[in-house]
Structure formats: C-alpha cells, structure tokens
Amino acid sequence: ELENQLATKSKTLDELKQNLASNGSAEQTPEAQSLRIAELCEMKDSIVNQVAQLKASMESILEQWRAYDEIYAEVSLMTTRYLYCIDQCKPSGEEASLEALKKQVKTLQ
C-alpha cells in the first residue's frame, strides 16, 4: 500500500515537471524553471530511495515469515507425533501393569 502511495507521488511529480515545462515557460525565467525541475528531481529521487528501502524491509519480513512457517510445520509434526504416542500408551481399559507397559514400550520401539 505504501509502495503504491509512493509510486503515485512519483507520478504526480512527473506530471508537475511536464506541466512546468510546457505551461510555466512564459511565466518563469529559465533559471527559475531549471531550479524547480532540479527540486522536483530531488523529490523524485527521495521517493525512489524510500521505495527501495521499503522493498528491502518487506523482503526481510517475508524471510522471517518463511522461517516461521518452517518452524511451525516442525512443531506441528512433533505435536502430532506426541499425541499419537500418548494415545498409544493409554491403558486399554484394564489397570496398567509393569508387564503391559514393557510390552507397549517394545511395540513403540
């Protein structure tokens, strides 16, 4: 959204520059026109730099989200495995004896 706003401002500056060159020539001296054009070019360069900084920042944020997604997938898999193990280790209606638990451990291994 911010990038679109900056692009719009850049476009507006270009239009102002064109208007100044075509309409303002009779009203201003060439020196004043060239100063104004230089000022507009500086403003445009500033906007271009802001857009570049924003892109770099967004790339960094996207990289952090990718890392988050990878870690989330790992945690989700580990949680699923944990829940499966818990489910498999439940006593089956009878009171769990040491022998029954040993048998379950061997099955899981």
Side-chain angles (χ1 to χ4, degrees):
E1 181 181 331
L2 185 57
E3 185 176 349
N4 290 338
Q5 290 174 356
L6 291 174
T8 303
K9 287 180 181 181
S10 179
K11 185 178 179 182
T12 303
L13 285 174
D14 286 338
E15 290 172 1
L16 288 173
K17 184 177 170 182
Q18 290 174 356
N19 286 340
L20 180 63
S22 63
N23 296 335
S25 58
E27 300 172 9
Q28 295 182 350
T29 64
E31 293 83 13
Q33 287 178 359
S34 56
L35 286 175
R36 181 68 179 145
I37 289 172
E39 184 180 312
L40 291 173
C41 287
E42 286 179 24
M43 292 170 73
K44 181 181 177 183
D45 290 342
S46 173
I47 290 171
V48 168
N49 288 336
Q50 290 175 6
V51 169
Q53 290 173 353
L54 178 63
K55 284 182 180 179
S57 175
M58 292 303 292
E59 287 174 5
S60 171
I61 290 169
L62 287 174
E63 185 60 36
Q64 290 174 0
W65 273 108
R66 283 187 205 104
Y68 169 81
D69 286 342
E70 289 174 12
I71 292 169
Y72 180 83
E74 272 185 58
V75 169
S76 179
L77 179 62
M78 289 175 8
T79 302
T80 302
R81 287 179 179 166
Y82 170 77
L83 292 174
Y84 175 79
C85 288
I86 294 294
D87 187 53
Q88 293 299 313
C89 291
K90 285 182 185 174
S92 56
E94 59 200 42
E95 193 172 315
S97 69
L98 183 57
E99 288 300 317
L101 290 174
K102 286 181 181 178
K103 185 178 179 182
Q104 286 181 352
V105 167
K106 286 182 182 178
T107 303
L108 289 174
Q109 290 176 345

